[in-house]
Amino acid sequence: MTGYGKAETILETGKITVEVRSLNGKTADISVKTPMLPKDKEMAVRQKIAAALTRGNIDFFITFEPNAADSAKKINMALAMEYYSQISELGGQIGAHNLWSQNPNDLLALILRMPEVMDARKQDVITEENWPAVEACIDQALENINRFRAQEGEVLYKDVTEKVANILEYSRQVEAYEKERVEAIREKILSRFAELKAEPDQSRLEQEMIFYIEKLDINEEKVRLRQHCQYFLDTIASEECPGKKLGFIAQEMGREINTTGSKANHTEIQKIVVKMKDELEKIKEQSLNIL
């Protein structure tokens, strides 16, 4: 869900720049960070963003760079003359008008510093007349962020599918130790009887041994893990926005890996389980960035 998109458009009064930034998020959490967007347009823009980006913590910006002529400040002549009139009247009452006549530039400088005499031109940048151009700019920014996301998605797809393939390969490696593991369990039980110098009933011993070995059997876990891995691969390849489902599938994969580790009772299998867990954690982390 991480992405960045930017677009620009030229209006009569200056340049509009639209920027959209997105980070991971469970829903479309949209923050409109601009005072220029008209209130009657904000809801439509939010809906447009949510439809285009689906999910993520999304920041939306509009900035405006006015033309040189439009950015210049202007003198409020009426207000300046009012200040001049009142200052002149005050000077006459206190006998200070001669002072101003000797230094007219000082009086002018004083008036220009008075509140709101020098004021930047204020106007609504986004109007009904130029809204189609601004809206097209927003659409372009959203298209650009989705293009960015698509490029990131290709990298993510390759990364997570390779890690799933690694887990499947590790699962196959476990099989090489299956027979050895069973024999080791059998030898451990028999050696314990030998230490105790006990003579068990062979028939009952075999039954108990089979029962014990079956409790430690990991064949079902291997089968379910492979099924989950294949479901993960099918989902990421076929669904448009599989992110949440992939997270759930990864949790199921984790359960089978953990159970395999708890039943393993074998050093080499435990090492393979640790490798599978490492790959799975990376898959979970990357799945958060998939829509």
Side-chain angles (χ1 to χ4, degrees):
M1 284 167 275
T2 301
Y4 174 76
K6 178 180 177 181
E8 298 176 347
T9 188
I10 303 298
L11 306 179
E12 291 184 0
T13 54
K15 181 174 72 174
I16 285 281
T17 301
V18 176
E19 295 177 276
V20 188
R21 301 172 189 170
S22 175
L23 296 174
N24 297 341
K26 294 182 179 180
T27 59
D29 184 9
I30 302 168
S31 178
V32 177
K33 299 185 175 182
T34 174
M36 286 186 290
L37 189 66
K39 291 298 182 183
D40 62 327
K41 304 295 184 185
E42 183 172 336
M43 183 58 67
V45 169
R46 285 180 177 274
Q47 291 173 349
K48 183 189 291 288
I49 295 171
L53 303 185
T54 308
R55 286 202 296 150
N57 294 318
I58 303 161
D59 291 331
F60 176 81
F61 305 85
I62 295 181
T63 54
F64 177 65
E65 183 180 337
N67 296 330
D70 291 291
S71 62
K73 292 185 176 182
K74 65 176 183 177
I75 300 174
N76 188 330
M77 298 298 293
L79 184 59
M81 290 304 299
E82 179 62 26
Y83 279 130
Y84 174 75
S85 176
Q86 293 185 31
I87 290 172
S88 297
E89 182 179 350
L90 177 61
Q93 291 181 7
I94 65 174
H97 57 277
N98 291 331
L99 178 63
W100 294 118
S101 63
Q102 293 173 8
N103 301 283
N105 290 335
D106 291 345
L107 175 59
L108 178 60
L110 174 64
I111 293 173
L112 292 178
R113 287 197 299 269
M114 300 300 286
E116 299 184 4
V117 171
M118 296 294 295
D119 195 11
R121 298 184 178 182
K122 295 180 180 179
Q123 59 181 350
D124 292 332
V125 173
I126 300 176
T127 63
E128 285 296 332
E129 289 72 23
N130 61 32
W131 173 246
V134 175
E135 186 175 26
C137 187
I138 294 171
D139 291 338
Q140 184 62 53
L142 293 174
E143 183 179 335
N144 290 342
I145 190 175
N146 272 330
R147 188 179 297 114
F148 185 104
R149 280 178 158 190
Q151 293 171 352
E152 290 291 306
E154 292 176 4
V155 176
L156 283 174
Y157 178 85
K158 184 175 183 295
D159 186 50
V160 296
T161 53
E162 284 180 355
K163 286 176 171 51
V164 172
N166 290 340
I167 290 176
L168 287 170
E169 177 57 30
Y170 289 140
S171 177
R172 285 188 284 269
Q173 291 177 15
V174 169
E175 295 176 358
Y177 302 99
E178 288 273 26
K179 185 176 180 180
E180 177 185 326
R181 183 178 74 106
V182 173
E183 292 299 327
I185 293 171
R186 185 184 297 273
E187 290 297 325
K188 184 177 180 181
I189 294 174
L190 292 176
S191 65
R192 184 61 176 161
F193 275 107
E195 289 176 11
L196 297 173
K197 297 180 181 181
E199 292 292 336
D201 179 87
Q202 292 298 318
S203 177
R204 179 65 184 274
L205 176 62
E206 286 297 325
Q207 291 178 1
E208 294 296 330
M209 195 173 292
I210 290 172
F211 176 73
Y212 181 70
I213 291 173
E214 283 182 348
K215 283 183 65 177
L216 297 179
D217 182 66
I218 56 175
N219 187 62
E220 289 185 12
E221 285 73 17
K222 290 189 302 178
V223 170
R224 285 196 293 266
L225 177 59
R226 291 169 185 171
Q227 290 174 341
H228 294 326
C229 287
Q230 188 58 54
Y231 187 30
F232 188 101
L233 295 174
D234 292 343
T235 300
I236 196 173
S238 61
E239 297 194 14
E240 185 176 358
C241 298
K244 290 183 179 179
K245 183 180 288 188
L246 295 179
F248 298 143
I249 299 172
Q251 289 179 10
E252 296 302 316
M253 292 165 61
R255 288 192 179 93
E256 304 307 330
I257 293 172
N258 288 333
T259 305
T260 299
S262 65
K263 289 183 174 182
N265 207 15
H266 189 278
T267 302
E268 294 303 320
I269 294 178
Q270 289 286 7
K271 291 179 181 178
I272 294 173
V273 166
V274 170
K275 292 178 181 179
M276 287 194 287
K277 287 183 177 181
D278 182 50
E279 295 292 342
L280 183 63
E281 285 304 309
K282 294 174 183 176
I283 290 171
K284 288 180 177 179
E285 184 178 332
Q286 293 288 43
S287 295
L288 295 174
N289 201 32
I290 299 174
L291 283 179

